[in-house]
Amino acid sequence: MDFLVQSGMYISVYLTIICFFSLVVFFYTLCNSSFNETPSPRLNFIVFLLFVIILLFVGFRPISYYFVDMGNYYQSFKIMVASIHDGNVLNLKGDYLFNTLMAFFALFNQPILFFFCCYLIYAACHFFALRKWFTYYWAYPLVLMMGSAFYYAYGVNGIRNGMACSIFLLGLSQQGIRRWLLFLIAFNFHSSLLLPIASVLVFSRYENIYAYIYIWCTCLFISLITPGMTQWLAELSIFNDKFAGYALGNDGRFRVDFILYSVLPIIIGLFFIIKYKFNDLIYNEILSVYMICNAFWLLVIRIPFSNRFVYLSWFMYGLVIAYPFVKSNCFRYQNRYAAFILLLLLMFNVVFLY
């Protein structure tokens, strides 16, 4: 199958597309939009067009080790195809639903469609979760999320984790049995989702948002003064062997840049909650889950591949920032501040991803 864009150019083209549409949303939000009014259908159409373009562009990307783990998934896919051809029983243990999805497409030997389906699930769950929360004004948070750090990477590289996190996000936007069913599905795509699921359970029992702020600050302090925290966590034997392997491989790097990036949604959240008394149970839950998951990452910040743990909070990054701006009316020209935050994050992510 021939592709118009080579693998090595995908990130550049992706960022160019995101930058163009982000600037459209920036100028619209800055000049014409108020979050108290129903947005123009033209804005939603433009952002939906962005969504479809990215879906087709990234979803039908070439199979390549340039996308890192995509190559490993393809090797697993070929092993499944060979096993089916030889009449062997497939081993679907581990992340059962992801392996089952792979086995289904392996039956027809369609790797391109398999990877497209993975990205479709990843993108669509984000889209429908934001539609659920924001109803009409989903364009701004969608662009904010698609432009955030690691959104692209976990669509093409950490595929299982990205799919699981997006399914969890869709579950978080629901209530009742649908919420917990989607959480269960997310866990069976990637077991690391146990952490955000547990965070939701903790918040359901204790809704004091200030307690989670103290927890985050405490974990930051502990991480600063105890470099050996990761080895201690590994020795508890409550995590799987893969985590223990990461923890025992302490590389000593303390990612100040990641911490500064992580703290921005918390600062914005505190600004609305403390200064303007913004009290929204849904937002309190979203922010609390973000802080709990990010606090865990602070404890393991020095291990190799710590980005895999920080993503358990960062997949909510754009949502945590966008929600109070869109859902509240706390101060004058609020939409303009939201527009400049979009521009600021866009510039940071272009530098960060390059």
Side-chain angles (χ1 to χ4, degrees), residues 1 6 12 20 35 53 116 143 153 175 227 255 259 274 340:
M1 185 175 184
Q6 294 181 348
S12 299
F20 173 77
F35 291 126
I53 290 172
F116 174 75
V143 170
Q175 296 296 326
R255 298 301 302 263
I259 293 175
I274 296 176
F340 280 109

Side-chain angles (χ1 to χ4, degrees), residues 2-137:
D2 296 328
F3 295 88
L4 295 176
V5 180
Q6 294 181 348
S7 301
M9 293 295 295
Y10 256 71
I11 182 63
S12 299
V13 176
Y14 177 86
L15 286 173
T16 301
I17 296 172
I18 289 294
C19 286
F20 173 77
F21 281 94
S22 295
L23 288 174
V24 172
V25 175
F26 165 76
F27 285 114
Y28 182 90
T29 305
L30 182 68
C31 302
N32 303 311
S33 178
S34 170
F35 291 126
N36 296 321
E37 302 172 1
T38 302
S40 167
R42 287 176 294 180
L43 176 67
N44 286 347
F45 173 77
I46 290 170
V47 176
F48 184 73
L49 181 63
L50 162 69
F51 175 79
V52 173
I53 290 172
I54 293 296
L55 174 65
L56 297 176
F57 175 67
V58 180
F60 285 111
R61 65 194 178 279
I63 297 174
S64 169
Y65 267 108
Y66 179 82
F67 303 110
V68 196
D69 279 352
M70 184 185 189
N72 296 328
Y73 288 124
Y74 181 53
Q75 295 304 318
S76 299
F77 186 91
K78 290 196 295 184
I79 291 172
M80 278 195 176
V81 170
S83 296
I84 293 170
H85 183 267
D86 295 337
N88 298 328
V89 177
L90 296 178
N91 181 9
L92 301 179
K93 292 181 180 179
D95 298 315
Y96 179 77
L97 289 181
F98 180 82
N99 293 335
T100 301
L101 180 67
M102 182 183 289
F104 173 78
F105 284 96
L107 283 171
F108 308 99
N109 195 14
Q110 292 292 333
I112 294 292
L113 290 181
F114 166 68
F115 287 112
F116 174 75
C117 181
C118 289
Y119 193 80
L120 175 63
I121 293 172
Y122 176 69
C125 287
H126 281 93
F127 179 80
F128 287 113
L130 296 178
R131 284 289 303 272
K132 177 69 175 179
W133 274 311
F134 298 100
T135 312
Y136 300 109
Y137 223 116

Side-chain angles (χ1 to χ4, degrees), residues 16 216 306:
T16 301
W216 189 89
S306 67

Side-chain angles (χ1 to χ4, degrees), residues 259-297:
I259 293 175
L260 293 175
Y261 188 78
S262 295
V263 79
L264 178 62
I266 299 174
I267 292 173
I268 290 173
L270 291 179
F271 177 75
F272 278 92
I273 291 170
I274 296 176
K275 183 174 177 60
Y276 292 103
K277 308 301 180 184
F278 178 57
N279 186 20
D280 185 295
L281 185 61
I282 294 175
Y283 181 65
N284 288 350
E285 180 181 46
I286 291 169
L287 181 58
S288 297
V289 171
Y290 174 86
M291 287 192 291
I292 293 171
C293 294
N294 198 258
F296 175 80
W297 164 72

